[in-house]
């Protein structure tokens, strides 16, 4: 994993265009402009050097219109030849990559036959981008397997291309700012983190509309005005420095709910197991050691079990470590009496597998100590301290000398692991798999009512409002699925009165509904089972914008850790997406309950303990009960002050002034705690980024 920061001058005016044209073979003021660009790019990359502390490189075009910057975390090909940017000088193509490509040895061997005019200069997986582009043009995206963000520039075609992986595992942001030359010119800036824009002329402002209607969570917006995310599975092009377009190259799909699936459960289980083992095996390739994040849940445990199996039974090397070396797992532990500690289960799993197990204790003081730095790295809010726990977890492999870990993100999204999915599973019969569905038709409606009530109670228990179940327009747009209520269950009601007048139509439900394009909404309403529609909508919002951000890339890369996500291998997800709903959520006649991720449990059975095979889902969260006078209480009191809140401009002090006292101590309100956490994060971001105070004027 690495960091990228790129600049493209836009030809927005004839005066600007003329200023950029070469004269007599040389760019006007080329030396001065190049020096300015190099200095800006260096400062931009320093903002994200945690993503790649091993080396730094850049390429600037002769006319100074294009600059590609890169900081490197050396994983494959540790030699200087693996440094970026990569180039094909005779073709005028240049590229920088943040991420990891799998199965690249096979792809490279194929390209060496098909493209003899290109000579590879390294053994880095990232270099295949150049060769694939030369061989297939913009179709090169079809051949990329992994987690990645890519920026490529083709000098001959004057074509700038930015690509994001299929699930948004790797971040890529863009904005347009003044170019600083004083003649009205603009430039497109693209980077792995928004903080990289600070030295490039970006002046941060709050996007209050995005905060109010949850655009930062459910579409391409961020919490900062005019800073956008490239959609997962999309690429953006800028042709001839003027025309910016964004297009999809991949999309999730699900089977027609009316078509019978004739496969037996045993066939499906074998298929999942085979695809998972392949995904894990491909992610064990590296020139450095690889570890595993291990919690008390099935997702990380099956990865540890499969890795142990591949290493011991198939003699597969774990990165640069030989098969004889013990597999190493990493974890954090909360206080045992908190009700959130899973380390004892993880420890029993490690003992059963015979792997090494390293953990770090996260008490209240440790969480408080890391809070502000974790917020700075995440660049957005999250209503839970779990992101601080993940930030601390990433210190454990770093301290042990590891750069790469496997992690279980994505399993709940493709195998239906969250409680809020159950009502949508029960919303319609699973006609595609009636022959193998143990749920009696007479039970479905009874279980549906119970599931909706249980989902509402679950969200209220964690401090959210549980949503509503009315048939609003957004619900109708999405075939009445109730999962969107859970996705918006925690929407902070702390905004200043002026925001209601400035943004009267803010509706997070509508944001979710319109984030799906017309073709997807057609499939949701006409073809897909409601469970699959729910999984689709969740995977376009909460997955990339929270779980792969605050609980993924940003907290991992803060400590220069590359996390690999086997569950989000698109060969695996495409197979799982096309399984019938009733093997993901399955009724147990013996236990009289639904078993979430049933087919994952069955496919994992040889690789996990009986304890985990039988354990119910427990979402990863940090404790929500903390004493008054402790480190977190003092931290929140110091951040959520009247001066700090009024400096934000969009938050009402009248609504948040008493939150901290409500949140802490015996009988503390979980919702007040979550609101206090969010407001405290906004304060930290305002101070660290220098965000201007928001106001009604110019909104």
């Amino acid at each position: 994993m690495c960091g990228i920061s790129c600049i493209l001058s836009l030809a927005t005016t004839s005066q600007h265009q003329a200023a950029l044209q070469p004269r007599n073979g040389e760019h006007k003021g080329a030396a001065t402009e190049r020096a300015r660009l190099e200095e800006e790019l260096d400062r931009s990359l320093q903002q994200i050097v945690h993503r790649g502390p091993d080396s730094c490189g850049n390429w600037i075009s002769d006319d100074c219109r294009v600059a590609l910057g890169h900081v490197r975390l050396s994983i494959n090909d540790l030699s200087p030849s693996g440094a970026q940017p990569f180039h094909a000088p005779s073709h005028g193509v240049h590229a920088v990559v943040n991420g990891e490509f799998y199965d690249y040895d096979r792809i490279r061997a194929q390209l060496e036959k098909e493209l003899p005019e290109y000579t590879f200069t390294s053994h880095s997986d990232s270099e295949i981008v150049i060769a694939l582009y030369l061989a297939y043009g913009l179709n090169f995206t079809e051949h990329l397997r992994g987690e990645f963000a890519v920026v490529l520039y083709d000098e001959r075609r004057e074509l700038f291309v930015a690509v994001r992986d299929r699930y948004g595992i790797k971040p890529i942001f863009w904005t347009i700012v003044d170019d600083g030359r004083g003649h009205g010119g603009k430039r497109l800036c693209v980077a792995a983190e928004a903080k990289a824009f600070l030295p490039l002329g970006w002046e941060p402002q709050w996007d209050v509309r995005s905060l109010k209607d949850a655009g930062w969570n459910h579409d391409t917006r961020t919490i900062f005005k005019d800073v956008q995310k490239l959609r997962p599975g999309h690429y953006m092009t800028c042709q001839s420095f003027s025309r910016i377009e964004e297009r999809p190259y991949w999309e999730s799909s699900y089977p027609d709910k009316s078509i019978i699936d004739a496969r037996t459960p045993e066939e499906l289980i074998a298929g999942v197991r085979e695809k998972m083992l392949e995904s894990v095996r491909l992610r064990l390739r590296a020139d450095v050691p690889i570890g595993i994040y291990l919690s008390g849940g099935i997702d990380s445990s099956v990865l540890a079990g499969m890795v142990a199996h591949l290493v011991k039974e198939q003699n597969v090397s774990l990165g640069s470590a030989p098969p004889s070396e013990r597999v190493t797992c990493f974890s954090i532990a909360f206080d045992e009496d908190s009700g959130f500690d899973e380390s004892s289960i993880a420890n029993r799993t490690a003992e059963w597998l015979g792997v090494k197990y390293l953990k770090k204790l996260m008490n209240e003081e440790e969480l408080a100590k890391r809070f502000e730095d974790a917020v700075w790295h995440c660049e957005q809010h999250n209503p839970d301290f779990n992101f601080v726990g993940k930030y601390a977890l990433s210190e454990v492999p770093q301290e042990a000398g590891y750069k790469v870990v496997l992690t279980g993100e994505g399993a709940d999204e493709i195998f239906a692991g969250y409680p809020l999915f159950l009502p949508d599973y029960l919303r319609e019969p699973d006609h595609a798999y009636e022959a193998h569905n143990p749920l009696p038709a007479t039970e479905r409606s009874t279980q549906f009512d119970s599931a909706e009530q249980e989902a509402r109670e679950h969200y209220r228990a964690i401090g959210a409002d549980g949503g509503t179940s009315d048939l609003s327009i957004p619900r109708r747009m999405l075939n009445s699925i109730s999962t969107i209520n859970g996705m918006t269950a925690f929407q902070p009601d702390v905004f200043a009165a002026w925001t209601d007048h400035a943004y009267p139509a803010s509706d997070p439900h509508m944001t979710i509904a319109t984030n799906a394009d017309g073709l997807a909404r057609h499939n949701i309403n006409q073809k897909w089972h409601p469970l699959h529609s729910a999984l689709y909508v969740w995977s376009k919002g909460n997955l990339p914008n929270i779980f792969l951000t605050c609980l993924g890339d940003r907290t991992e890369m803060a400590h220069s850790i590359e996390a690999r996500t086997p569950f989000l291998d698109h060969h695996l997800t495409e197979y799982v997406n096309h399984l019938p709903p009733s093997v993901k959520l399955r009724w147990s006649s013996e236990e009289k309950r639904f078993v979430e991720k049933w087919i994952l449990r069955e496919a994992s059975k040889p690789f996990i303990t009986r304890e985990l095979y039988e354990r119910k889902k427990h979402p990863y969260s940090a404790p929500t009960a903390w004493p008054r006078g402790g480190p977190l209480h003092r931290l929140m009191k110091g951040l959520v002050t009247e001066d700090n809140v009024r400096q934000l401009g969009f938050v009402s002090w009248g609504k948040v002034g008493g939150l901290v006292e409500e949140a802490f101590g015996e009988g503390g309100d979980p919702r007040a705690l979550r609101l206090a956490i969010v407001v405290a994060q906004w304060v930290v971001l305002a101070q660290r980024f220098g965000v201007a105070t928001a106001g009604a004027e110019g909104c």
Side-chain angles (χ1 to χ4, degrees):
M1 300 299 174
C2 304
I4 57 177
S5 181
C6 306
I7 304 168
L8 179 77
S9 293
L10 298 175
T12 54
T13 65
S14 58
Q15 181 183 10
H16 179 219
Q17 194 167 14
L20 290 169
Q21 294 299 324
R23 296 185 180 181
N24 299 322
E26 289 188 8
H27 181 272
K28 181 182 179 181
T32 301
E33 180 61 17
R34 177 173 294 274
R36 183 176 82 105
L37 271 175
E38 287 180 343
E39 191 270 338
E40 284 184 312
L41 206 55
D42 181 65
R43 287 193 292 120
S44 176
L45 292 172
Q46 283 302 309
Q47 292 280 358
I48 56 172
V49 71
H50 48 273
R51 302 187 67 90
D54 295 332
S55 67
C56 178
N58 67 62
W59 173 81
I60 299 173
S61 62
D62 290 340
D63 58 11
C64 295
R65 288 181 172 183
V66 186
L68 308 181
H70 187 268
V71 286
R72 183 188 183 201
L73 181 65
S74 304
I75 303 295
N76 291 310
D77 189 353
L78 308 184
S79 72
S81 64
Q84 298 188 42
F86 285 112
H87 312 277
S90 59
H91 300 274
V93 177
H94 315 269
V96 287
V97 177
N98 165 29
E100 200 72 56
F101 301 123
Y102 305 113
D103 203 18
Y104 69 91
D105 289 324
R106 180 191 61 79
I107 295 171
R108 173 173 171 153
Q110 179 181 331
L111 287 167
E112 287 174 333
K113 294 177 182 178
E114 295 180 357
L115 201 69
E117 65 270 26
Y118 181 80
T119 301
F120 283 87
T121 60
S122 76
H123 293 285
S124 169
D125 60 298
S126 297
E127 192 182 356
I128 63 170
V129 164
I130 293 273
L132 284 170
Y133 175 78
L134 293 176
Y136 303 109
L138 287 177
N139 284 6
F140 81 97
T141 56
E142 297 179 15
H143 302 268
L144 301 177
R145 183 176 188 176
E147 53 268 357
F148 52 84
V150 175
V151 172
L152 179 147
Y153 181 63
D154 184 336
E155 292 184 273
R156 294 180 178 180
R157 296 183 58 202
E158 293 187 338
L159 179 65
F160 181 92
V161 184
V163 186
R164 193 177 184 194
D165 66 63
R166 293 166 178 82
Y167 281 98
I169 305 165
K170 291 290 101 185
I172 188 164
F173 298 91
W174 65 276
T175 191
I176 295 175
V177 300
D178 291 339
D179 69 0
R181 292 188 177 92
H183 46 63
K186 301 289 185 180
R187 57 183 177 181
L188 170 67
C189 299
V190 176
E193 298 181 16
K195 60 179 65 69
F197 299 142
L198 288 169
L200 305 180
W202 175 55
E203 297 179 356
Q205 299 180 62
W206 297 111
D207 189 335
V208 180
R209 181 185 291 276
S210 175
L211 289 167
K212 290 207 70 172
D213 62 20
W216 66 274
N217 190 10
H218 300 299
D219 59 33
T220 63
R221 288 172 289 171
T222 67
I223 68 171
F224 299 118
K225 189 177 291 186
D226 299 325
V227 176
Q228 300 283 319
K229 297 165 290 199
L230 182 59
R231 288 184 186 273
H234 282 63
Y235 65 89
M236 179 175 69
T237 59
C238 183
Q239 183 75 58
S240 302
F241 310 102
S242 60
R243 193 174 79 249
I244 299 175
E245 296 181 335
E246 184 176 320
R247 295 181 179 180
Y249 67 88
W250 182 86
E251 179 61 295
S252 298
S253 64
Y254 300 88
D256 188 317
K257 60 189 176 185
S258 66
I259 298 176
I260 304 300
D261 192 321
R263 296 172 293 179
T264 66
E266 291 73 24
E267 289 177 273
L268 302 182
I269 292 166
V272 169
R273 187 178 297 150
E274 177 187 347
K275 297 287 186 184
M276 284 182 58
L277 281 167
E278 179 197 30
S279 177
V280 172
R281 180 182 57 80
L282 287 174
R283 283 159 177 77
L284 301 185
R285 172 77 162 81
D287 292 336
V288 295
I290 298 175
I292 307 164
Y293 282 154
L294 182 62
S295 70
I298 188 175
D299 306 337
S300 62
S301 300
V302 67
L303 297 182
M306 286 187 167
V307 169
H309 167 78
L310 290 168
V311 170
K312 295 173 184 176
E313 304 298 327
Q314 298 188 19
N315 212 38
V316 175
S317 295
L318 188 56
S320 62
S324 58
E325 190 168 310
R326 288 176 71 194
V327 176
T328 302
C329 297
F330 308 101
S331 181
I332 58 169
F334 293 109
D335 293 331
E336 288 186 18
D337 59 357
S338 69
F340 292 82
D341 182 47
E342 297 183 340
S343 62
S344 59
I345 303 173
N347 192 62
R348 289 193 291 273
T349 298
E351 289 178 358
W352 186 77
L353 292 173
V355 300
K356 189 187 302 182
Y357 179 57
L358 305 177
K359 70 178 179 180
K360 172 176 285 192
L361 177 63
M362 282 304 296
N363 57 27
E364 183 182 3
E365 183 178 359
E366 295 299 317
L367 283 173
K369 192 163 59 177
R370 291 166 174 80
F371 178 81
E372 294 186 57
D373 285 341
V375 173
W376 161 252
H377 283 283
C378 288
E379 299 185 336
Q380 65 185 46
H381 60 276
N382 183 44
D384 195 301
F385 285 125
N386 56 3
F387 75 101
V388 189
K390 189 63 181 289
Y391 177 85
L393 171 59
S394 298
E395 296 173 6
V396 186
Q398 183 194 47
E399 291 166 359
Y402 282 74
K403 290 182 176 181
V404 182
V405 294
L406 300 190
T407 183
E409 273 75 30
D412 290 310
E413 284 72 18
I414 65 169
F415 289 106
Y418 296 122
L420 81 167
F421 294 140
L422 183 55
D424 286 328
Y425 166 68
L426 293 167
R427 197 167 298 281
E428 293 181 11
D430 182 7
H431 293 301
Y433 219 55
E434 284 182 341
H436 299 286
N437 188 354
L439 177 66
T442 54
E443 277 282 316
R444 190 171 61 82
S445 61
T446 301
Q447 293 297 329
F448 173 74
D449 293 339
S450 174
E452 284 221 311
Q453 180 63 28
E454 186 176 333
R456 285 193 290 270
E457 290 175 357
H458 167 75
Y459 277 96
R460 278 194 289 268
I462 63 172
D465 64 17
T468 61
S469 58
D470 65 302
L471 285 176
S472 60
I473 292 174
R475 287 281 300 276
R476 291 192 183 100
M477 290 173 67
L478 299 174
N479 197 24
S480 300
I481 61 172
S482 59
T483 290
I484 66 170
N485 292 332
M487 293 172 69
T488 59
F490 188 85
Q491 180 64 10
D493 180 22
V494 297
F495 296 98
W498 70 262
T499 67
D500 294 331
H501 302 291
Y503 311 110
S506 295
D507 180 2
H509 289 84
M510 186 61 79
T511 302
I512 295 172
T514 55
N515 187 51
D517 64 28
L519 291 175
R521 293 197 301 272
H522 169 77
N523 289 328
I524 285 170
N525 283 286
Q526 303 297 326
K527 293 186 175 182
W528 296 344
H529 188 278
L531 173 66
H532 287 154
S533 300
L535 295 176
Y536 176 88
V537 170
W538 183 279
S539 72
K540 298 299 180 180
N542 286 24
L543 177 61
N545 297 325
I546 294 182
F547 291 87
L548 297 176
T549 302
C550 297
L551 303 179
D553 172 87
R554 310 306 285 281
T555 46
E556 292 150 354
M557 289 304 294
H559 300 291
S560 309
I561 296 297
E562 171 185 292
R564 299 179 174 182
T565 52
F567 286 111
L568 293 177
D569 181 280
H570 74 282
H571 290 246
L572 170 62
T573 63
E574 287 171 350
Y575 181 83
V576 175
N577 285 355
H578 282 78
L579 300 178
S582 294
V583 300
K584 298 169 187 174
L585 278 166
R586 195 161 182 83
W587 175 254
S588 170
S589 302
E590 296 79 16
E591 301 177 54
K592 298 298 181 183
R593 72 175 182 93
F594 288 96
V595 179
E596 73 281 350
K597 298 189 288 193
W598 177 82
I599 196 162
L600 173 61
R601 292 174 187 273
E602 297 304 314
S604 306
K605 199 171 183 178
F607 311 105
I608 60 175
T609 63
R610 183 176 183 84
E611 175 185 23
L612 283 167
Y613 174 75
E614 296 176 347
R615 188 172 187 245
K616 291 186 69 174
K617 167 71 180 176
H618 290 265
Y620 169 60
S621 180
T624 56
W626 303 100
R628 291 187 180 180
L632 285 173
H633 184 220
R634 294 195 302 270
L635 174 70
M636 292 294 113
K637 284 181 66 176
L639 290 171
V640 186
T641 67
E642 184 170 1
D643 284 347
N644 286 344
V645 168
R646 294 196 186 283
Q647 186 66 28
L648 295 174
F650 62 91
V651 177
S652 166
W653 175 247
K655 293 180 180 179
V656 304
L659 282 179
V660 174
E661 296 312 309
E662 291 177 39
F664 288 85
E666 187 174 349
D669 181 357
R671 182 170 179 82
L673 178 65
R674 294 181 186 279
L675 287 170
I677 293 171
V678 168
V679 176
Q681 289 172 89
W682 289 338
V683 169
V684 171
L685 291 170
Q687 294 173 349
R688 295 248 182 144
F689 276 85
V691 190
T693 301
E697 294 183 11
C699 61

